[in-house]
Amino acid sequence: MTLLACEGGQPVRPDFLVFGRPKIGEEEIAEVADTLRSGWIGFGPKCLRFEAEFSRFAHAPHAVSVNSATAALHLALIVLDMRRGDEVVTTPLTFAATANVIVHTGARPVFADVDPQTQNLDPGELERAITPRTRAVIPVHMTGWPCEMDAIAAIARKNGLQVIEDAAHAVEAWYRGRKIGSLSRFTAFSFYATKNLTTAEGGMLTTYDDSVVERLRILRLHGLDKDAWKRYSQGGFVPYQTLEPGFKYNMTDIQASLGVHQLKRLERNLEVRERLWHLYDEGLAGVEGVRTPRLPASPGTRHARHLYTIQLDLEKLSVDRAQFMKALSAENIGTGIHFVPVHLHRFYQNTYGYRRGDFPEAERIGDRTVSLPLSASMDEDDALDVVTAVRKVARHYLLRETVASIAIEAETVMPDARV
Ligand code: T4K
């Protein structure tokens, strides 16, 4: 058997494959240079252009640019007047930001368990989590696969809840023939460095609600009635007023310079990740100790292919996930964990009394999940290296009993092979 690199063997590849490396083209670099030379680098015309193009792309009447998806989610909760005494339901299988913003408003984050196959908020569990204090739900399109939005919207309607979609992973996703970003009153997108569309840091909030757009724009820049672009573009300084204490959540023209070109290349980048995804599916099918993603058929639904996550069959392996990832790292393959469920984080346990055992499906996934590199900056050889490394590590750590039972099964199926 080939020796693992972490035990002194040869790594699968000579250089480290970074998990989540962004793909930045020459167009983005030229646009950023143009912005820097222009002298207008803060919120300005390129942010306005990016917002207009993104709103067309997302089939959303309005798109408000901000400096992160966290800011987008927070602003949505603020305009919905979420406050102490309110409850907002979300999934525990998400990045902490989804729950943190609920805490920032004074409302209580209430978790509801996920569907084991899609890893998304289970509509049945959402319904069970609703109390007379529940005012909103934040479904997260985990890994880029849309939540069951028809069921969630029906539950929300029945119970008078607001829906804010967390589409940090799902910029290119469609749900049953409709573009993610156009379905609910609010949808938040992330343009962090590792995301499918990146502006280094950044985010967008889409909405169809004309009545809140102006307030969102005011709140993202300190609560001022005029942003700097409006104040200076007519030539001279125009005085401004603080309408309410807002936030420093605006995007800049440097970020938007990246965004407009990332948006143009989005489909091509998705095609690259789709090819890599299929290579993983094929190369890892049937590998003992490892399970690949299996999603239900859903006509008109498109996966944004943000994260390719495998689940380790820990019962069949002689090591835990940390050692498995360490072994992959020694093979020069970077990996990630998405996510340690939020209710297992210290703050949420100490503040709200959440405990292990509260959300068994999220915990099962959270304990076993490993995200493999998936980025348009990779080529097919990179993906094949990942497959080779996962196979090598899984085979090495397969428990002897598992190997023996596979051998018995093989003998039963193919008695002639026993010569
Ligand atoms: N909702 C969900 C479901 C989310 O996943 C997120 C964010 C949010 C909401 C909030 O979105 P934002 O407010 O951030 O827009 C990250 C990010 O901080 C976070 O944005 C992201 N989700 C979360 C999944 O991951 P880390 O600590 O796991 O990623 P990090 O910074 O260690 O980077 C991962 C890999 O990417 C590294 O191996 C190195 C590589 N990398 C990173 C950077 C920054 C690069 O190659 N280049 C880079 O510039 O947290």
Side-chain angles (χ1 to χ4, degrees):
M1 189 186 283
T2 332
L3 201 58
L4 292 186
C6 63
E7 294 178 354
Q10 194 66 11
V12 162
R13 52 186 281 139
D15 57 322
F16 194 75
L17 179 62
V18 174
F19 174 86
R21 199 179 76 205
K23 184 177 168 82
I24 306 291
E26 288 306 317
E27 295 90 338
E28 284 93 317
I29 294 169
E31 193 75 46
V32 168
D34 175 71
T35 303
L36 294 175
R37 288 196 187 97
S38 78
W40 197 275
I41 56 178
F43 179 88
K46 293 201 180 172
C47 288
L48 295 175
R49 174 180 156 199
F50 184 37
E51 288 180 348
E53 290 176 4
F54 195 88
S55 102
R56 265 197 303 280
F57 159 80
H59 300 190
H62 308 285
V64 177
S65 64
V66 281
N67 58 12
S68 65
T70 308
L73 291 167
H74 191 204
L75 288 184
L77 290 169
I78 300 264
V79 298
L80 291 172
D81 195 26
M82 222 51 66
R83 55 179 63 209
R84 185 172 296 280
D86 294 335
E87 291 179 358
V88 179
V89 182
T90 190
T91 163
L93 198 65
T94 184
F95 189 54
T98 317
N100 289 348
V101 290
I102 302 170
V103 178
H104 292 327
T105 66
R108 184 186 180 88
V110 173
F111 298 110
D113 212 350
V114 299
D115 175 279
Q117 195 184 6
T118 64
Q119 308 193 6
N120 282 335
L121 188 63
D122 179 331
E125 295 296 322
L126 161 64
E127 205 151 21
R128 269 187 283 284
I130 293 170
T131 75
R133 290 168 176 250
T134 312
R135 290 202 46 222
V137 54
I138 309 184
V140 176
H141 305 305
M142 183 62 187
T143 77
W145 178 254
C147 295
E148 266 314 326
M149 290 310 300
D150 285 344
I152 290 171
I155 294 167
R157 253 193 317 277
K158 193 171 113 195
N159 295 278
L161 311 184
Q162 299 291 334
V163 181
I164 305 163
E165 290 173 58
D166 179 336
H169 299 181
V171 69
E172 307 94 331
W174 287 67
Y175 173 74
R176 296 188 186 271
R178 285 172 291 157
K179 178 74 195 71
I180 290 294
S182 69
L183 275 70
S184 303
R185 189 166 175 198
F186 295 105
T187 306
F189 295 89
S190 171
F191 306 142
Y192 180 64
T194 56
K195 295 295 189 279
N196 295 354
L197 185 165
T198 184
T199 59
E201 294 280 2
M204 195 73 82
L205 185 64
T206 58
T207 181
Y208 54 67
D209 185 350
D210 303 341
S211 72
V212 295
V213 181
E214 200 45 36
R215 182 150 181 242
L216 287 169
R217 294 202 169 115
I218 288 167
L219 279 170
R220 79 170 157 197
L221 191 70
H222 304 294
L224 308 184
D225 63 347
K226 288 179 197 67
D227 59 56
W229 181 244
K230 275 194 215 149
R231 272 184 267 133
Y232 291 95
S233 53
Q234 277 104 21
F237 177 82
V238 180
Y240 54 84
Q241 283 286 318
T242 304
L243 301 180
E244 59 178 314
F247 302 87
K248 181 60 180 165
Y249 279 172
N250 64 284
M251 186 175 266
T252 70
D253 269 17
I254 299 175
Q255 291 164 307
S257 304
L258 293 167
V260 287
H261 293 285
Q262 287 271 303
L263 190 57
K264 277 191 198 143
R265 209 177 308 104
L266 208 53
E267 284 299 316
R268 266 178 289 153
N269 286 350
L270 176 62
E271 279 168 27
V272 173
R273 293 197 312 281
E274 274 171 347
R275 271 206 304 283
L276 304 175
W277 189 286
H278 292 304
L279 286 176
Y280 284 163
D281 270 354
E282 274 168 31
L284 298 175
V287 173
E288 285 293 327
V290 162
R291 266 175 296 137
T292 53
R294 287 282 162 264
L295 290 159
S298 176
T301 298
R302 178 161 85 164
H303 199 311
R305 314 253 183 226
H306 176 53
L307 293 171
Y308 189 98
T309 62
I310 54 169
Q311 304 287 308
L312 301 184
D313 261 330
L314 293 173
E315 299 73 15
K316 294 183 177 174
L317 299 170
S318 61
V319 287
D320 61 12
R321 178 186 43 198
Q323 180 55 39
F324 197 97
M325 289 172 70
K326 217 163 132 193
L328 283 176
S329 175
E331 301 297 339
N332 278 330
I333 305 297
T335 52
I337 295 177
H338 301 91
F339 292 98
V340 172
V342 183
H343 73 285
L344 299 181
H345 287 248
R346 205 174 314 153
F347 171 81
Y348 288 89
Q349 300 220 323
N350 293 345
T351 312
Y352 303 103
Y354 287 116
R355 292 285 169 265
R356 182 169 272 280
D358 287 348
F359 307 103
E361 299 298 350
E363 290 167 20
R364 218 184 130 68
I365 295 165
D367 289 346
R368 287 144 205 274
T369 191
V370 176
S371 303
L372 302 181
L374 185 69
S375 153
S377 66
M378 292 166 59
D379 62 23
E380 297 193 358
D381 287 339
D382 292 325
L384 293 174
D385 285 343
V386 176
V387 167
T388 306
V390 172
R391 294 180 78 103
K392 180 180 173 187
V393 171
R395 193 178 329 117
H396 185 88
Y397 288 134
L398 215 51
L399 282 169
R400 278 210 197 98
E401 305 89 85
T402 313
V403 178
S405 73
I406 295 166
I408 291 166
E409 262 175 47
E411 282 183 4
T412 328
V413 178
M414 301 183 296
D416 294 339
R418 242 180 300 157
V419 253

